[in-house]
Structures are given as structure tokens and as C-alpha cells.
Amino acid sequence: MRADGHAPGQPDGQDAGELLRRCAQDVLDVAEGIRAVSARTGAALLDPGLTGSAPRRPRTTLAARWALLRALTGGQGLGSPAVTPPRGPARLPGRAGLPAWVAVTALRLRVAAVLAGHPGFARDPGMRRLTDALAPGRDPAAVRSLRALFQDPGAQRALSGLTPLMAELSAVRELLEGRAQGDGPGWALAPGPPDGQPSARHVPPPGARDGGEAAADAVGLTDQERQAIATEGSFLGFLRNIRALSTDGRILVQNVRGPDGVGRYVVQVPGTSPGRPRDDGPRDFADAWHDLFATDSPSTRSIRLALAEYGMPRGADLALIGHGEGGTALLNLARDPEFCRTYRVTHVITVGSPAAGRRTADPRTWVAAITDQHDMVPDPGGPDAGPDPDPHPNRYELHYPGPAGPDALRHTVRDYIEHLRSVVPQAREIVDDALTPYRGPVVRTRAYRLRDRAHPPEGHPFLTLPTASVPTATGAVDVPVRYYDSSAVHLCYLVDAGAAHALLPAGTRTVPGRTGGRTLAVLSLYEHRCSTIGPYTEVALSVPVADLWRPRPYDVAADLLRRADLRRTGRHVLSLAVSSEEARSVAREIWGQPATLGSAVADLMGRHLRFATMETGLVVAGRLGPGVRCPEADWVLYGRRDESTVRTLVRAHGAPRLHSGARVRLRLDTAAAEPMAGQLRRLGIDAARPLFVLHNPRFTAHRSAGAVLPR
């Protein structure tokens, strides 16, 4: 590094991330070139002309074939398999070869480029799993790790969130499968449209009916949602509608009477937020990458069906407004000449969507793309990055620096609404001026749920259960709250029953379940990577409590033999720290738990545990030893709201294991925040080893709404 802060050979004003991105693309091009050479060498080896000449010229023909075979399969050559396996995404060759090893190097460079500009992205679960797979020093070891990662169904959701790395992930996956891009059923990058941008073609498997799996069902809105839906057309009003629809696969179609009295139509499509479930079921990252470029995908086909059911007349003026992946789907529709012949697409406006350089089928369409530079989903360094070589007057693009904060990787539509109000109000004014024909009273509103019938609902069947909407300070929440991908560690300590009793709410009949003069205290650490209230971390201190009406000394142990919904005992939550405001509101208002806000860094999936909180000053680290499988860990949790006790039932589905706590250590900073730190010290946990540890590396769960008990 030079004294002026630039790397040697780095042009002034060019950041390291841009250089790494360019290097990664160059190395990836080299990998594709090597793959092409490998394919040609294999074709020459099996060429009928060469094999047919063996009887006539055995010495020269055998020597030539031997040279080709050594170049193709040798460790000093291409290192590829001699015979390509049958095509198909489920078949992996035994050896990846030089092309895959070079592609792994490109992926490492691309990861470094992303982290250079967004170091906070290193905490993302998908990024963490990817960097762990790339950690082995030798390329063959990294190839084996990546293969295992690509074959792990549980990793697909995490990898599909790595939009900035989608190109490299897809290319490496293809090379590991021994296929050129486009071989076999599934998806493939194809030559781009006339404007030079890449596109994708869908290659359905034999016998599949194209477009047969898309669906759009008209659904009603709740009373709370109807009150939140805008009755006048405006940019922020349409974005608030998108926010009200949340991320459960619904879109909104509205008929607006403009200032000139003409009826026009507005389609509003939300995106999927990182860490929240997809309504149409889990899809792997290849499908997500396909949707970025395909004008014909389950998303676009479902939107077409919704517009047809709404009864929109042919030739009607239509504005498309979307967030995230919803904006991407709408941009793809606007690129489809057939769709633009059916409707007159006048405006396409996206926030948080990768839109750079994309052309619409109708050159008169006005396109606006607004992104926060801290938002990783649009990925300004991705395949569409860079200025449009032929800028169009009907385009408005803004990539603004949002305010810095502890959560710099912003993508929610709530963030964009706030930024358009306070950070970039000029962008709101420009878009509102462009939307003048749509700024009038809303005549009709209809919501549709988009589905891809090729996939069951995510979490089916354990998490497909009836829900109800409950208002909170941060918005409506569906209960039971569902957790689709979580990890948990429960550290169980033997503590003095009198000390535990002193921490329970005063003036109640809540008493700790005890054996003699001792009871358990449970410190629970959670990493919720995907839930209906978003991703967050959680640390909770609780103690087992006896039946509120007939407390007995051994009730807690006996109750564990019963089903969770029939238990009279449970664990009372003494203190709780969560890392998101939405989770804090749910814990306090629905479950009656004394939640505070506090971020944490968690790694609870492997045997090496690490959980460090920022505000509470608590660090848990250690390595788990051998463990034994134990039954599913369903729980009953108690909290306190006003003068009543709140009972919450937690159902979990996973594979928990019981471990000795000898190697796990808890450290508490001297300046650790109350109330949790004080409670840990009063119980003596800060200086004790856990009696045992219950580890659940990956599980799904749902928490019911709190039932209020008159105690």
C-alpha cells in the first residue's frame, strides 16, 4: 500500500473493490476458456475419425490418443474426467478439473470485492457459509466443500440471498457439474437482446408444460391493511401499499382516475426481504439468477395472470412499481415486446432492484431506479454495472449514499420510504412529477397472491398452519410467528433456588421448580436466519417455574414427560435481548417478555460455538464434545404483561443433541449492561460452567400468541 492509500499499480481514484471485480471477471473468463479447451480435447479424443484409424495406423493413432488423454486427465494438464456423465443437474463427475479450480479462484476474488465495499456483509449467514467452504488452502479441498454446499438443501436459501455473487456462484456450479452453461434441463444464460444485455432462456425438462405452474389468486385484505392502503395516487403512497402487503407473495393492482379524468392502472409488487420466507417455497440460487434476466419466469407469468383476472382492457395505460425482486420482475415484463403490445407501459419505477442498463421494449416508457449504496441486493458492482453506453432521456437512476448506521445492509421498503422523505426528497419530487397522470383518486383496489405451483409452501407441512394478524408498534404481525431456519444453544446451570426466586416478578405466585434448594437457570442463544419477523439474534435468561395454581417441588421434571400443550410448568423469561426492533415489539407486546435491543455476532451451527453481544457485554465460546440425540425441544415460556402472566407455546422440529458443558465458557464484561448482566451475577452464572448444553444446529419452530392467565 502506498502512502496515498492506493495499492501498488492501482489507478488513482479507483477502489480496491472495482479492481477485484475486474480481476474476478478475467479469471472467470479464463476458467470458461479452459473448459472450452477441455471440451474440445474430449471431443477430439472420441472423434470417430481418430478412433477409426487405429486399425490402419496403430502406432501413431495410439500415441495421439494417449497424448490427448494425458492432456485431458493428467494432474499437470486439464484434470478433467475422460468421459462426461449423462447430462442433468443431479449428476456430478468425480473430478472437477482445472476449470473448476480456476473458477474457485474467481469466486474468492469476487467475495473479497464484495467485502471490501461492504465489510458488514461478512456476518450474513450465506456469506459465512460460503467463506467457510472457500477457506481450505488447496483448490481441490475448496471444490469438495463447494460441492457439499451446493448439494445441501438447507444452504439453498442462504445462497439465494447472495445476489452480488450470483454470477460467480452459478458459473462455479456449472463447472463443478462438468456442464457448459445451458447444458441439461433448468436454466441457461443465452445471448443478450439487441441492447447487448444478457438474458436467460428457460430450458424445461422433457414433458414439462411451459408456464403451467404459475398462478395468481385474488385475495382479500384485512381491515388493518385496508386502512393502510392509499386512496390517492402518489409515489410514497404506492410504496406504502407495497409495505402493507409485506412479503407473503401478494401484489396490488389499482385503478386510478387521473387529473384528466382518464382511468389508468398501477401494479405494485413487493420483493422478498433477506431473512424472510418465500411464499412459493424454497428455490435454489440458479432459479433466482434466472429471474434476474428472464422475461418469462414464474413471477412474470403470475403477474400476467393477475392482470388478466383483474379485467384490465387491452391498450390501457399501465405504471409498474416494485421493490427488490418485485421490481426485477416488473422490469422483465417491460422488456417483453408482447406484453408492451398488450398494455401501454408508461412508467416502471423500482427501489432496491438491479436495473442498471436495462432497456424496455417500448422506448417511450419512463424508467426510474432508486437504490441505496448500502443495499446489497441491487449490487451496483454486478453484471449490469456501469453507465449506459447509450443513455436514454426517459431514464432516471439514483444511487445515493444512505445514512450510516449499525445495520448498513439496508433493503426494506420501510428504509426507502424514510430515505425518500428525509435523505433524497428531490428523488421523490422527480418521480411524483413523472407520475402526474396517475395522481388522482383510487377507484378500485384488488390484491392477488402469486404462486409457483411447482413448489410447496416453505416449511410444509410443519409450518403450514392457520395464522392471525396482531397489531404491534412496528406493524401487523402474523401469529404464530414461524421460524424457518434457526440455530440454538441452551446453557443449563445449577443455581440457588432462593436467588432465582428473588428475580421472579414480585407479588405473583410464580415460584421456581426446585429439587432441594437448587434449580436450573437456562441461558438460551438463538440465531434466527429466516423468520416471519425477519432475521435476528436472541439471548434469553430463564428459570423453570412450577404450576401457577398447584406448585409442587418435582412438577417440572414430571411435566417434561407430557406434550408441551398439556404442561402446567414452563420457563419464565427473566431478561431478553434481541437484535431487531420488530422482534422487540413482538416479545414485549405479544409474549410479555422484558425485551431490550442489542445486536450480536452468532455462529451456532457447528461444534465451535461463538456468540458475542455488543450491548450486554456477554460472550459465549467453546467447543462441544461428543453428544447424544435427545427428543424434540418443545417449550412453554412465561412472561408478564401488566398484572397478568402470559403463556406462550413453542413447537420445534430439529435434531437437538445433549452435550457436556465442560468446554464452553461464558465471559461477562465488567461494564456489561443491565438487567441481564446483573441477573447473571446474582445467580453466579458469570463464574460457573454449564451443567450441560443442549445444541440444536438447525431447526424450524413456531411460537404461538401469548395466552393471558389471571395470575
Side-chain angles (χ1 to χ4, degrees):
M1 186 72 69
R2 300 200 313 249
D4 60 0
H6 295 287
Q10 175 179 331
D12 293 343
Q14 189 171 21
D15 60 26
E18 176 62 24
L19 285 175
L20 288 168
R21 278 192 290 268
R22 290 170 56 188
C23 291
Q25 186 59 51
D26 291 343
V27 174
L28 190 57
D29 291 342
V30 170
E32 287 293 341
I34 297 173
R35 184 208 57 77
V37 170
S38 178
R40 290 196 296 270
T41 305
L45 178 65
L46 302 177
D47 183 79
L50 183 62
T51 57
S53 63
R56 298 190 301 272
R57 301 179 181 87
R59 296 183 61 182
T60 56
T61 302
L62 290 177
R65 296 191 69 188
W66 177 246
L68 288 171
L69 184 63
R70 288 175 56 191
L72 182 66
T73 63
Q76 301 300 316
L78 297 170
S80 299
V83 179
T84 302
R87 294 180 177 183
R91 295 293 187 91
L92 294 177
R95 303 175 63 184
L98 185 59
W101 299 347
V102 176
V104 167
T105 301
L107 183 56
R108 287 191 178 116
L109 287 169
R110 191 68 170 95
V111 168
V114 171
L115 296 182
H118 301 272
F121 200 45
R123 297 193 299 270
D124 179 85
M127 179 63 80
R128 198 168 64 234
R129 297 190 69 175
L130 182 61
T131 52
D132 289 344
L134 292 172
R138 299 178 61 236
D139 288 335
V143 166
R144 288 192 296 270
S145 299
L146 284 174
R147 273 183 174 161
L149 190 66
F150 292 153
Q151 290 178 306
D152 181 4
Q156 297 300 321
R157 184 191 298 106
L159 292 178
S160 65
L162 301 180
T163 306
L165 299 170
M166 202 67 75
E168 285 75 12
L169 282 170
S170 300
V172 171
R173 185 189 190 190
E174 295 288 349
L175 289 167
L176 289 180
E177 293 174 355
R179 297 189 282 119
Q181 291 185 354
D183 287 351
W187 66 276
L189 290 181
D195 60 6
Q197 294 300 320
S199 66
R201 58 185 174 86
H202 184 64
V203 186
R209 290 189 302 131
D210 187 30
E213 302 298 342
D217 304 324
V219 294
L221 298 171
T222 66
D223 292 339
Q224 185 174 4
E225 289 171 342
R226 276 193 289 268
Q227 294 174 3
I229 296 298
T231 57
E232 291 280 335
S234 69
F235 183 33
L236 286 187
F238 296 137
L239 291 183
R240 291 192 187 100
N241 293 347
I242 289 175
R243 177 183 173 185
L245 294 179
S246 66
T247 57
D248 61 353
R250 290 179 299 168
I251 70 170
L252 203 68
V253 183
Q254 290 185 309
N255 185 358
V256 179
R257 183 181 297 114
D260 54 0
V262 176
R264 297 178 175 87
Y265 299 86
V266 185
V267 178
Q268 300 138 72
V269 181
T272 56
S273 296
R276 292 182 184 266
R278 301 182 63 102
D279 183 69
D280 58 350
R283 308 163 63 206
D284 70 18
F285 57 87
D287 292 323
W289 180 241
H290 168 264
D291 279 354
L292 288 180
F293 297 108
T295 58
D296 183 35
S297 68
S299 299
T300 57
R301 290 194 293 269
S302 298
I303 296 173
R304 291 171 188 265
L305 292 173
L307 299 185
E309 200 280 339
Y310 188 83
M312 192 175 301
R314 187 180 182 88
D317 287 356
L318 181 62
L320 308 175
I321 301 176
H323 165 248
E325 290 181 354
T328 301
L330 293 178
L331 279 164
N332 290 336
L333 278 177
R335 294 170 56 218
D336 186 355
E338 180 183 353
F339 183 81
C340 291
R341 285 193 295 267
T342 305
Y343 308 107
R344 182 173 177 264
V345 181
T346 61
H347 298 75
V348 181
I349 302 168
T350 67
V351 294
S353 304
R358 297 197 185 184
R359 297 292 188 86
T360 57
D362 187 346
R364 299 170 296 175
T365 302
W366 191 81
V367 179
I370 300 173
T371 57
D372 179 359
Q373 71 177 15
H374 295 295
D375 186 354
M376 293 298 297
V377 173
D379 183 28
D384 286 336
D388 192 341
D390 184 19
H392 199 278
N394 285 345
R395 290 192 72 90
Y396 172 70
E397 295 185 13
L398 176 64
H399 184 60
Y400 66 92
D407 184 17
L409 305 176
R410 291 180 289 265
H411 180 62
T412 67
V413 70
R414 179 190 306 171
D415 291 324
Y416 279 102
I417 291 173
E418 181 58 32
H419 294 170
L420 288 166
R421 290 170 55 90
S422 58
V423 180
V424 284
Q426 71 278 7
R428 184 190 73 240
E429 296 169 0
I430 291 172
V431 175
D432 268 333
D433 287 343
L435 284 175
T436 297
Y438 295 86
R439 300 194 64 185
V442 175
V443 178
R444 182 187 176 209
T445 297
R446 195 77 183 268
Y448 294 89
R449 189 181 304 279
L450 306 185
R451 299 185 185 276
D452 181 0
R453 298 195 189 279
H455 300 274
E458 190 164 4
H460 180 77
F462 179 69
L463 295 180
T464 49
L465 66 166
T467 62
S469 181
V470 177
T472 69
T474 56
V477 173
D478 289 339
V479 292
V481 175
R482 284 144 289 156
Y483 298 88
Y484 293 80
D485 184 15
S486 298
S487 298
V489 172
H490 304 279
L491 310 179
C492 300
Y493 297 85
L494 200 59
V495 300
D496 180 72
H501 195 183
L503 297 177
L504 292 170
T508 68
R509 298 188 180 183
T510 306
V511 297
R514 64 180 70 193
T515 302
R518 310 290 282 176
T519 188
L520 282 179
V522 182
L523 184 66
S524 300
L525 315 173
Y526 295 94
E527 181 186 15
H528 301 301
R529 293 176 289 273
C530 180
S531 79
T532 52
I533 56 175
Y536 69 98
T537 57
E538 175 182 355
V539 53
L541 177 63
S542 61
V543 295
V545 293
D547 185 356
L548 297 177
W549 278 265
R550 294 188 300 273
R552 296 174 183 173
Y554 301 99
D555 271 356
V556 173
D559 236 10
L560 291 176
L561 302 177
R562 301 187 181 97
R563 285 177 7 205
D565 54 339
L566 298 179
R567 294 175 192 165
R568 296 176 175 269
T569 65
R571 291 188 289 129
H572 191 99
V573 179
L574 301 175
S575 56
L576 171 69
V578 295
S579 61
S580 77
E581 186 61 42
E582 189 171 6
R584 178 178 177 270
S585 297
V586 171
R588 295 179 70 92
E589 300 173 34
I590 297 180
W591 299 325
Q593 298 173 0
T596 59
L597 205 58
S599 56
V601 177
D603 188 0
L604 306 177
M605 293 189 66
R607 287 198 169 188
H608 290 273
L609 305 179
R610 174 74 177 176
F611 191 95
T613 63
M614 313 307 176
E615 289 78 9
T616 59
L618 181 146
V619 177
V620 175
R623 185 183 186 279
L624 295 174
V628 295
R629 179 74 183 271
C630 57
E632 301 288 352
D634 294 340
W635 304 102
V636 175
L637 299 179
Y638 287 101
R640 190 75 179 168
R641 188 168 63 218
D642 298 329
E643 300 300 320
S644 302
T645 299
V646 181
R647 181 180 185 268
T648 303
L649 179 62
V650 182
R651 288 290 185 91
H653 176 64
R657 298 183 70 86
L658 193 65
H659 301 263
S660 167
R663 302 180 184 178
V664 180
R665 294 290 184 273
L666 182 150
R667 188 176 72 252
L668 202 60
D669 292 346
T670 55
E674 296 286 346
M676 183 175 292
Q679 294 172 346
L680 291 172
R681 291 191 178 100
R682 285 191 285 275
L683 292 174
I685 291 178
D686 59 326
R689 295 182 182 180
L691 182 65
F692 59 88
V693 175
L694 187 64
H695 181 217
N696 209 342
R698 185 179 299 160
F699 70 97
T700 58
H702 55 82
R703 296 189 189 185
S704 68
V708 178
L709 305 178
R711 287 277 175 161

